[in-house]
Amino acid sequence: MALQGDFREHLLAFQDLEIEGNLVKTASEISKVDALVIPGGESTTISKLAKSFGLLDLISERIASGMPAFGTCAGMILLSNSIVDPASSQDVFGGIDMQVRRNAFGRQTESFEADLDFQAIGEEPFRGVFIRAPWVEKFAPEVEILASIESGGIQRSVAVRQGSILATAFHPELTGDRRIHNYFLNEVCGK
Ligand code: GLN
């Protein structure tokens, strides 16, 4: 989804995996895709643009009816069913039965990198790039936790899946490691 954010980096990641993605932003384009990636960026901006382009209900309905979706950082926020203290009138597409906290890691750690244990993609740790990242504050039993990170002595979930929806609080599109994009294609989309 090419409304705002680092959608080009996602396109490059899929190109490395020999999948030609398309940049989409209109209702007619979005109604034709097989799967949708919601990039990192600024979730308030993306949701305002989605609203003014008339995309909110279309995307929510497509996700609810099983279209695979992958969101990173701002994209994770938009795929959550609710936000702790949402900015006034911030809409989400929803899909994952969880509540996220925006900018959760606070000022001291606005941006950082960390090695994550992400067993679904293999033994080798995945380098997570976190930029004003959210974390998952609460989640339903149906939500599968794929990776967590310790912050302030508490394990915080930063990669989750519920059925055909995948979300990470960090940015796999910004590293050369394509294992999470590959996981999305092979395990979540079933390609
Ligand atoms: N903090 C941003 C938001 O709330 C997300 C940042 C990001 O995508 N890197 O939308």
Side-chain angles (χ1 to χ4, degrees), residues 6 39-46 72-75 77 90 102-103 130-134 169 171 173:
D6 67 348
E42 182 53 49
S43 61
T44 51
T45 306
I46 297 174
T72 62
C73 201
I77 296 167
Q90 181 170 2
R102 295 182 59 210
N103 306 322
F130 293 80
I131 304 168
R132 299 180 61 229
H171 292 271
E173 70 279 16

Side-chain angles (χ1 to χ4, degrees), residues 9-191:
E9 285 73 9
H10 279 288
L11 208 59
L12 292 173
F14 288 116
Q15 273 169 18
D16 284 350
L17 298 168
E18 295 174 354
I19 294 286
E20 281 299 321
N22 294 309
L23 297 180
V24 292
K25 56 182 168 188
T26 66
S28 90
E29 289 164 344
I30 287 172
S31 58
K32 291 186 199 109
V33 295
D34 299 317
L36 189 64
V37 175
I38 303 169
E42 182 53 49
S43 61
T44 51
T45 306
I46 297 174
S47 70
K48 277 183 198 148
L49 289 169
K51 193 172 192 172
S52 64
F53 277 59
L55 305 175
L56 277 178
D57 291 346
L58 169 68
I59 295 174
S60 298
E61 283 160 18
R62 287 221 59 198
I63 290 170
S65 59
M67 173 185 66
F70 176 23
T72 62
C73 201
M76 172 188 253
I77 296 167
L78 291 162
L79 290 172
S80 68
N81 281 355
S82 71
I83 306 173
V84 183
D85 301 328
S88 59
S89 80
Q90 181 170 2
D91 295 296
V92 291
F93 306 128
I96 302 185
D97 197 358
M98 64 178 179
Q99 185 171 44
V100 297
R101 182 178 290 279
R102 295 182 59 210
N103 306 322
F105 293 91
R107 278 186 173 270
Q108 297 302 317
T109 48
E110 276 203 334
S111 291
F112 62 98
E113 295 187 11
D115 282 333
L116 302 168
D117 181 15
F118 200 128
Q119 291 294 321
I121 57 165
E123 288 294 319
E124 200 185 313
F126 190 92
R127 190 77 179 158
V129 175
F130 293 80
I131 304 168
R132 299 180 61 229
W135 68 42
V136 178
E137 187 93 12
K138 288 188 207 155
F139 55 90
E142 299 74 36
V143 179
E144 188 184 349
I145 304 303
L146 298 171
S148 307
I149 190 170
E150 193 247 287
S151 178
I154 299 172
Q155 285 294 324
R156 300 293 186 176
S157 307
V158 289
V160 293
R161 175 180 176 181
Q162 185 172 0
S164 56
I165 315 170
L166 176 68
T168 65
F170 50 95
H171 292 271
E173 70 279 16
L174 297 183
T175 62
D177 189 338
R178 302 310 189 200
R179 286 179 296 158
I180 295 179
H181 285 80
N182 194 45
Y183 172 83
F184 177 66
L185 289 174
N186 287 305
E187 305 296 326
V188 181
C189 299
K191 289 218 161 151

